Amino acid sequence: MTASGPIRTETHDNVLVIISDNPPVNALGQAVRQGLADGIAAALADDVIEAVVIRCDGRTFFAGADITEFGKAPVGPNLPEVCDAIEASDKPVVAAIHGTALGGGCEVALACHYRIAVPSAKLGLPEVKLGLIPGAAGTQRLPRLVGAEAALPLVVGGNPVSANKAESIGLLDAVVTEGNLEQDAIAFARSKIGKPVPRTSEQDANRDGVANPAIFDDFRQQNGRKLKGFDAPEAAIAAVKAAGELPYAEGVAKERELFGKLMAGTQSAAMRHYFFAERAANKIDDIPADTPLIDIARVGIIGAGTMGGGIAMNFLSAGMPVTMLEMKQDALDRGTGVMRKNYENAARRGRMKPEQVDAAMGLLSTTLDYADLADCDLVIEAVFENMDVKKDVFGKLDAHVKQGAILASNTSYLNVDEIAQATSRPGYVLGLHFFSPANIMKLLEIVRGAKTRDDVLATAMKLAKKIGKIAVVSGVCDGFIGNRMLSPRQKQANELVMEGANYWEVDEVLVDFGFPMGPFQMGDLAGLDIGWHRDPSKVTNVREALCAAGRFGQKTGKGFYDYDGSRNRTPSDETKAIIADFAAKAGREQRDIGADEILERLLYPMVNEGAKILDEGMAQRASDIDVVWINGYGWPVFTGGPMFWADTIGLGKVVAGLDKYGLEVSDYLRGKAERGERLTA
Ligand code: 3HC
Ligand code: NAI
């Protein structure tokens, strides 16, 4: 055995095995690249060696370029050079893949002459998720190996494929049994000795894109909505197209040019910020990583309404038994009926198997009796948003649920510390704020009360991962991180329409910015009657007037907008008249308001609120706020989230804008702007 840095080599008679050990994910940093290049050179220089295997120790094959090196001065050898050296070898080189061969890792595999993997392995080119395209000839080698049509979803969509799928499209030569990868790879390599080495850059499967150029437009059409606003996917399509149109070397040059432009742009910087933000959000600064966790085997849910049902589905889908409690049997029947229907819809769309629907629902039991929750390790309350009701529920939980269990509230705004006081064990109480629809939305705000114990918080973080959520810790404040920042945006949206902006223009400005919808479309979708007092004679604002007119939103075919029986909307004359009437009664002068003012007045106050949240310590770090808004409210990830976006345009500009409109500027934000500092690291 010889070793240099994270790479070592082992000789097995006539086969040299090059092994990377660079935890946690074998990222292709400089030392790894150098070691690979040295390993190949050693194999070529040694007459005894007739074939080479490249594999990784630890949990995965190379998961990509080392993202922490991006933006720093490059130190050679670069990855394209290493890949070229591998491919140029006249001794067969086999990639032996386990875990995830992603990005540059997949490109290394493509440069090898053969690729084999265990069944659990995944292969992919996720660079678009970092606002990039593959930069080590992945866009040129992959289409040559599997064809442009099969390459497009991998390169442009960025989602990895399973080993079986990879084999079926020709990306893998073989799928071997789990647990014996190295021996299988050595045997495979030996079987190729003496045969001409197949070089990926010389294959011609990419001719399909030339014979049928419509595949590129078809792909755009099928994926248009997902790709809207992002720069990288269009560059990825151009690169794959170039693979068919240009000789290999020119295609590689084209890829480099596109890659370089994206790397220098703000979208990739924003998306790389997000990559690390999501991972940082997982860490609680003042709690040791080895804090012992509480075992969570059985979950109780109080309330089988919109949220209770969706929350329950998360645990059932993860194979955990759930007991749901309601006040009345018919509420339980209704709630569980909706859950089954949601599961069946998922099965109809092919997202789960019919037997999985039964398995999930089979883990659900229902009750009207708190005694049945005694054995739960975690109970989540999702009853009406009313402090007295919540306190009553938590008092009962305290009386019935075993000691040591975690008691959580899904409240949207209420004070979790006050709720905790209704129990004799506030250390075990915290907020678990899911977003609607709770079985779909990725975000989970974990609300840390003044007395919440470390092990309770750490357990909640771990559990979030188990049920597939992206968790962010928030302190106790009105609306926590997300809804607290939504409030000033909604306030400005309402003000703008009272001053003469059309409400659909307000929505359009946010959609153009990259949100899936604007505030008035969101209101129509959620239902304008949420929280309405249900007295049509009592009308004090636009929303109440719309409800009084039966305009509850999409569900009644009319809200702010008119709907055509499905989701297609048109601005409504009736709504316009209602708004004009309110503006006139309030004596509000009407004027034309441009898109810039609308955007600035909607988003700058959010930045200010975010700054206050940071200043008060309600969020651990600015990037946590970005994670909340990207995953909970559809803030476009290609801007990096509200805090990173503010840093990108400059805090001075944000403060000047707020001053111009006479809006609040916190001392914290003004100070940062004056000192030329950023909100994010
Ligand atoms: N570079 C540097 N660090 C990386 C990394 C990478 N490519 N991938 C992961 N890490 C780090 C994470 O930041 C994290 O660090 P932390 O523990 O300090 O927070 C640690 O590795 C573990 O990562 P995860 O928490 O994400 O671990 P999981 O097991 O949940 O996921 C994974 C593993 C699927 C490999 C996931 O980390 C991942 O998707 N990584 C990114 C893959 C990627 O985007 N590759 C393409 C890179 S761009 C490229 O290759 C350009 C080339 O074309 C030139
Ligand atoms: P909902 O009205 O759909 O459901 C509430 C359910 O709780 C009803 O089925 C009701 O019968 C039951 N319930 C009321 N009091 C009860 C009690 N004392 N004991 C047992 N069951 C009781 O309400 P929704 O939308 O599910 O909201 C629940 C909670 O989740 C609220 O605190 C809300 O603020 C919060 N929330 C709501 C979101 C949403 O978008 N709907 C998003 C995030 C949080």
Side-chain angles (χ1 to χ4, degrees):
M1 185 185 100
T2 56
S4 102
I7 299 283
R8 68 177 191 280
T9 56
E10 290 172 4
T11 306
H12 295 254
D13 299 329
N14 57 346
V15 178
L16 186 76
V17 183
I18 303 175
I19 303 158
S20 170
D21 184 12
N22 187 31
V25 298
N26 280 305
L28 288 149
Q30 194 277 334
V32 175
R33 298 194 302 272
Q34 186 65 60
L36 279 176
D38 293 347
I40 289 293
L44 292 180
D46 187 341
D47 289 343
V48 175
I49 298 300
E50 293 180 275
V52 181
V53 168
I54 298 178
R55 71 161 187 87
C56 292
D57 272 347
R59 63 201 228 215
T60 179
F61 195 74
F62 309 107
D66 185 340
I67 306 171
T68 60
E69 284 183 353
F70 289 3
K72 296 180 187 157
V75 183
N78 66 33
L79 193 57
E81 287 163 1
V82 175
C83 289
D84 288 347
I86 293 170
E87 193 183 55
S89 162
D90 51 10
K91 300 179 181 179
V93 184
V94 179
I97 301 168
H98 76 293
T100 43
L102 299 178
C106 189
E107 291 173 299
V108 167
L110 283 165
C112 293
H113 306 121
Y114 303 97
R115 289 148 294 281
I116 70 169
V118 293
S120 58
K122 289 198 160 95
L123 289 88
L125 293 167
E127 283 88 344
V128 284
K129 303 206 171 178
L130 299 169
L132 297 169
I133 60 169
T139 68
Q140 303 305 299
R141 284 201 178 96
L142 183 67
R144 282 179 166 77
L145 186 66
V146 304
E149 192 166 10
L152 277 173
L154 275 153
V155 182
V156 186
N159 293 321
V161 293
S162 67
N164 282 332
K165 171 81 183 172
E167 188 186 25
S168 75
I169 61 173
L171 174 52
L172 283 178
D173 297 287
V175 178
V176 297
T177 46
E178 212 83 44
N180 210 25
L181 183 59
E182 185 177 88
Q183 281 93 320
D184 285 344
I186 291 171
F188 189 95
R190 283 205 180 109
S191 75
K192 300 300 176 188
I193 292 169
K195 299 183 178 155
V197 292
R199 296 196 168 90
T200 312
S201 66
E202 293 167 2
Q203 309 302 307
D204 63 0
N206 55 335
R207 305 301 301 164
D208 65 334
V210 181
N212 181 16
I215 60 171
F216 298 101
D217 275 341
D218 290 351
F219 185 86
R220 275 192 194 94
Q221 232 151 39
Q222 281 156 22
N223 296 279
R225 251 188 69 202
K226 275 188 269 172
L227 310 182
K228 191 178 153 248
F230 291 87
D231 292 340
E234 198 45 55
I237 293 173
V240 174
K241 200 152 182 271
E245 292 166 349
L246 301 176
Y248 180 72
E250 285 175 40
V252 169
K254 174 86 181 169
E255 178 193 271
R256 276 242 70 79
E257 179 202 326
L258 292 165
F259 178 86
K261 259 194 212 146
L262 291 168
M263 182 65 100
T266 50
Q267 284 204 354
S268 177
M271 291 169 80
R272 281 178 275 137
H273 159 76
Y274 177 72
F275 177 86
F276 289 112
E278 192 182 307
R279 280 150 185 86
N282 245 318
K283 300 181 175 85
I284 308 169
D285 287 340
D286 59 343
I287 295 187
D290 58 355
T291 302
L293 301 180
I294 299 166
D295 202 22
I296 307 289
R298 172 166 282 281
V299 179
I301 309 270
I302 317 289
T306 310
M307 294 307 289
I311 294 169
M313 289 173 76
N314 285 293
F315 295 99
L316 297 173
S317 301
M320 296 170 74
V322 171
T323 306
M324 274 190 119
L325 181 142
E326 261 284 352
M327 294 184 293
K328 296 208 175 88
Q329 186 60 42
D330 63 340
L332 277 177
D333 295 343
R334 212 176 324 120
T336 53
V338 171
M339 288 164 64
R340 177 168 277 283
K341 226 177 74 198
N342 286 339
Y343 272 132
E344 283 167 353
N345 281 340
R348 233 192 324 280
R349 293 200 192 106
R351 277 192 268 133
M352 62 197 294
K353 299 195 180 103
E355 57 268 27
Q356 288 175 310
V357 174
D358 290 333
M361 288 305 284
L363 289 168
L364 178 67
S365 51
T366 58
T367 184
L368 302 171
D369 184 357
Y370 276 84
D372 290 332
L373 300 179
D375 286 339
C376 287
D377 306 295
L378 163 70
V379 181
I380 304 173
E381 163 279 310
V383 303
F384 302 138
E385 184 78 344
N386 175 297
M387 183 53 93
D388 291 336
V389 179
K390 304 252 188 218
K391 280 183 174 170
D392 179 57
V393 167
F394 273 78
K396 287 179 178 143
L397 289 176
D398 193 32
H400 288 92
V401 181
K402 69 179 180 192
Q403 290 299 320
I406 300 177
L407 307 180
S409 173
N410 181 49
T411 178
S412 307
Y413 290 92
L414 298 174
N415 186 320
V416 172
D417 289 330
E418 197 180 330
I419 294 173
Q421 286 312 317
T423 73
S424 62
R425 37 175 144 161
Y428 286 91
V429 176
L430 84 175
L432 289 180
H433 183 216
F434 290 79
F435 287 69
S436 184
N439 53 319
I440 308 268
M441 294 292 285
K442 290 290 254 179
L443 181 66
L444 177 64
E445 278 182 331
I446 299 190
V447 185
R448 180 182 197 172
K451 298 203 169 139
T452 305
R453 292 162 54 108
D454 287 358
D455 57 351
V456 169
L457 195 60
T459 300
M461 288 308 272
K462 179 81 194 247
L463 192 64
K465 217 167 183 183
K466 181 163 181 190
I467 60 172
K469 297 294 179 203
I470 296 171
V472 175
V473 177
S474 169
V476 175
C477 58
D478 191 37
F480 315 120
I481 295 171
N483 282 343
R484 176 169 164 180
M485 285 169 68
L486 183 64
S487 290
R489 189 184 88 173
Q490 190 61 48
K491 186 162 172 242
Q492 283 305 307
N494 295 342
E495 284 293 312
L496 283 159
V497 298
M498 293 302 275
E499 291 170 31
N502 287 311
Y503 63 88
W504 59 91
E505 288 169 353
V506 173
D507 282 340
E508 274 163 18
V509 163
L510 285 189
V511 171
D512 287 347
F513 182 76
F515 279 94
M517 63 183 96
F520 300 105
Q521 294 162 349
M522 197 165 110
D524 276 2
L525 181 68
L528 300 175
D529 58 327
I530 289 186
W532 181 45
H533 47 56
R534 314 217 164 255
D535 179 357
S537 68
K538 217 174 92 193
V539 173
T540 62
N541 58 35
V542 170
R543 208 166 156 133
E544 285 172 0
L546 291 171
C547 286
R551 305 190 68 96
F552 292 172
Q554 271 189 32
K555 61 186 166 191
T556 52
K558 53 185 186 172
F560 277 97
Y561 295 86
D562 289 330
Y563 295 86
D564 68 350
S566 73
R567 286 183 192 169
N568 299 317
R569 62 180 167 262
T570 42
S572 147
D573 288 338
E574 187 179 16
T575 303
K576 243 182 114 176
I578 288 172
I579 293 172
D581 185 45
F582 267 95
K585 279 190 196 136
R588 302 294 289 268
E589 205 179 300
Q590 303 290 291
R591 64 188 174 90
D592 283 336
I593 303 181
D596 286 348
E597 177 174 344
I598 293 175
L599 190 75
E600 289 164 8
R601 282 178 56 186
L602 291 174
L603 301 191
Y604 290 178
M606 294 180 61
V607 174
N608 184 58
E609 201 62 42
K612 283 162 63 183
I613 286 172
L614 271 180
D615 186 29
E616 293 166 23
M618 292 296 143
Q620 294 188 86
R621 44 188 94 80
S623 62
D624 281 10
I625 297 176
D626 291 335
V627 174
V628 165
W629 265 80
I630 286 168
N631 292 289
Y633 302 82
W635 185 294
V637 65
F638 54 75
T639 70
M643 301 289 102
F644 188 85
W645 174 74
D647 284 336
T648 307
I649 62 172
L651 298 185
K653 186 172 172 192
V654 174
V655 169
L658 288 165
D659 282 339
K660 180 171 76 181
Y661 301 120
L663 298 170
E664 180 195 8
V665 181
S666 67
D667 291 343
Y668 183 82
L669 181 63
R670 195 179 292 283
K672 284 250 168 206
E674 280 169 3
R675 293 189 299 275
E677 292 172 4
R678 300 167 56 88
L679 292 167
T680 56

